[in-house]
Amino acid sequence: MASHCAADTCGAVALVAPTILRPILFVAAMAMALSACVRRARHAGLQPWLGAFPPLMLVGDQALLQYAGAGWAYPFSAGVLSINPPVYALFGTALIGLLGVPSRDALRGHGSSLLDRALLALAALLSIAAVVRAGGLPLFVFTALPLVALAVVMFESYATYAMPLFLALAAYRLWRTDRGALATPSPSPVVVSETPNLWRPGRAALVGPIVAFAVLLWTLLSTSLMPVPMVLMALAANLLPFYVPTFVIYTALVAAVLRLMARRDAIAATALFVALIPFGFWATSLSSVLMAKAHEREAIAAIPKVALPAKIDIVVIEGEEGSLINCARKSILSADYGVGDVLTHGRRRQSWGPYLRFTRATANSPVNKGVVADGAPAEYVLVRFPDRPPIFLDRVSVDISSPPVEIYAVGSAGTQLVAASYTALNQPPTFPPMLTTYGWYRGENSTTSEKSCKSVANFLQRELHDKPPPGRT
């Protein structure tokens, strides 16, 4: 038996390990390609940042490249076989080949400005198309800028037709450069004194990724319900959707701050203002959530309510979730509420089960080990867990970490609401801000039974014990 378990464990590790390592290997390969292309662009006389264009094209087919050479099992399970041909990867490979053609400083100060602008425009559009193809366009772009998002998506559909045009223009650019170099005698070298770069790109490229990784690691460790080893293993899968957008906004902020520290002028102030725009969107999102929470509390407070009766002999707990009923029962009987007994009434499949009586002596008994009771008395306090609060619309989801709870006073006057706890699923963005391809990160939409039970216990403590009505014993 132990050998079978060990074999199953080894098989599971062998199946999961390649899935975790492939994104890491892909990112490492992209980093090496990026470094080589940037050095080659600088060597040829281009701006170094232009060397990022060929590796970015490879990202457009990252889903296929990660599973290249893995046989048919991994691509089939990941749905890679249904992806279109790797035109972006082929285009990026052709660009890398073109980048290796010119000699040292051959492209420095040569060519037509109109042709260069056309190539830069096509490169920008193809870069956006590669990001969209890789699933890297944030969802809030579609909601905040629908016209821009529509134009980008439409261009991504026809981006493959722009690739041959770009290659033709780039080849013509190299041909004209070679002819100009042959016809023009080489000038005598002129010594030019280099001025310091106020933007400090090297330092920004070092500090920005470190800050972004620290934000990613801190946020996942503080919000995830998984153990720390599992969070560290999941970092590889979160590199593209979580780390890359966070890296962009924090690296831009670091570069702007370093520029402001080097020289306080209008350019530095403008750069800092532009770098802070994404964080302004984060503050707006946080403010809207806090305002929605305040309106939610006001709406719940406006619901007509009555006071608890002066004496509580019996508390009836009603609901469909056995864990919540058990949690409320233990909370009421374990605290000093002055309550006699607790009756639980749960739904079993399509019908309600019998009333079960619990006393303080049996407060910690299992949920189904109570004494069967004939029914509820004429007057009692009802704690109910509704399926869906009536205050919420159909499109509003309920926060499962704070389940809805209602307290009623049942007697000769009927069933009257005493207190209610309703929480809509509207999580604020986390701090420090972390941008993902889906928008601002708001934590996991999951919970544990302990967290839900703590929310119920706090509500009962606040409404049954901490605020007794006048005259209650």
Side-chain angles (χ1 to χ4, degrees), residues 163-455:
M163 294 177 183
L165 176 61
F166 185 92
L167 292 176
L169 293 178
Y172 177 70
R173 170 74 158 81
L174 293 177
W175 178 73
R176 289 197 56 176
T177 301
D178 292 338
R179 291 191 60 183
L182 292 175
T184 305
S186 57
S188 58
V190 179
V191 179
V192 180
S193 60
E194 295 185 358
T195 58
N197 192 344
L198 298 177
W199 290 102
R200 301 179 181 177
R203 186 174 299 181
L206 177 64
V207 178
I210 295 176
V211 173
F213 184 78
V215 170
L216 173 66
L217 187 61
W218 168 265
T219 303
L220 293 181
L221 290 177
S222 59
T223 60
S224 179
L225 300 177
M226 297 186 300
V228 175
M230 293 298 296
V231 174
L232 297 178
M233 293 176 64
L235 281 177
N238 294 328
L239 285 178
L240 284 178
F242 286 4
Y243 179 74
V244 173
T246 305
F247 158 77
V248 171
I249 61 173
Y250 278 100
T251 302
L253 180 61
V254 169
V257 171
L258 292 177
R259 176 62 175 81
L260 185 65
M261 293 173 59
R263 180 179 296 175
R264 294 176 177 84
D265 53 9
I267 296 178
T270 303
L272 183 60
F273 174 78
V274 173
L276 289 175
I277 289 178
F279 299 93
F281 286 121
W282 173 86
T284 302
S285 178
L286 177 63
S287 176
S288 64
V289 172
L290 296 180
M291 291 178 61
K293 292 291 185 182
H295 293 322
E296 178 183 300
R297 291 190 294 268
E298 293 175 358
I300 296 174
I303 300 176
K305 302 178 182 68
V306 299
L308 280 171
K311 185 177 182 181
I312 301 176
D313 292 327
I314 298 295
V315 173
V316 177
I317 305 175
E318 184 178 280
E320 297 185 4
E321 290 288 339
S323 60
L324 295 179
I325 294 177
N326 196 34
C327 171
R329 172 176 61 86
K330 291 182 178 180
S331 176
I332 293 174
L333 291 176
S334 299
D336 187 15
Y337 290 110
V339 177
D341 296 337
V342 170
L343 301 180
T344 61
H345 192 207
R347 183 187 290 272
R348 297 178 179 177
R349 295 181 181 177
Q350 300 298 327
S351 60
W352 290 93
Y355 286 90
L356 299 179
R357 182 183 298 273
F358 293 88
T359 63
R360 290 186 179 274
T362 59
N364 295 322
S365 299
V367 66
N368 58 345
K369 295 300 181 180
V371 179
V372 176
D374 296 335
E379 295 184 356
Y380 59 92
V381 171
L382 172 63
V383 176
R384 190 167 73 93
F385 296 95
D387 294 336
R388 183 172 186 80
I391 193 175
F392 291 153
L393 302 177
D394 293 337
R395 59 184 176 85
V396 178
S397 302
V398 178
D399 191 355
I400 57 177
S401 62
S402 300
V405 191
E406 298 171 338
I407 300 177
Y408 292 91
V410 181
S412 58
T415 303
Q416 298 174 304
L417 182 65
V418 174
S421 174
Y422 306 138
T423 305
L425 181 58
N426 187 13
Q427 295 178 325
T430 57
F431 179 84
M434 188 174 82
L435 183 63
T436 71
T437 56
Y438 314 104
W440 297 108
Y441 186 70
R442 301 173 184 271
E444 295 182 354
N445 185 20
S446 59
T447 187
T448 60
S449 58
E450 291 80 7
K451 191 174 181 180
S452 300
C453 181
K454 183 178 180 180
S455 174

Side-chain angles (χ1 to χ4, degrees), residues 19 22-23 26 61-68 70 240:
T19 306
R22 288 184 183 279
F26 176 77
D61 286 318
Q62 55 89 19
L64 183 63
L65 295 177
Q66 286 185 31
Y67 293 92
L240 284 178

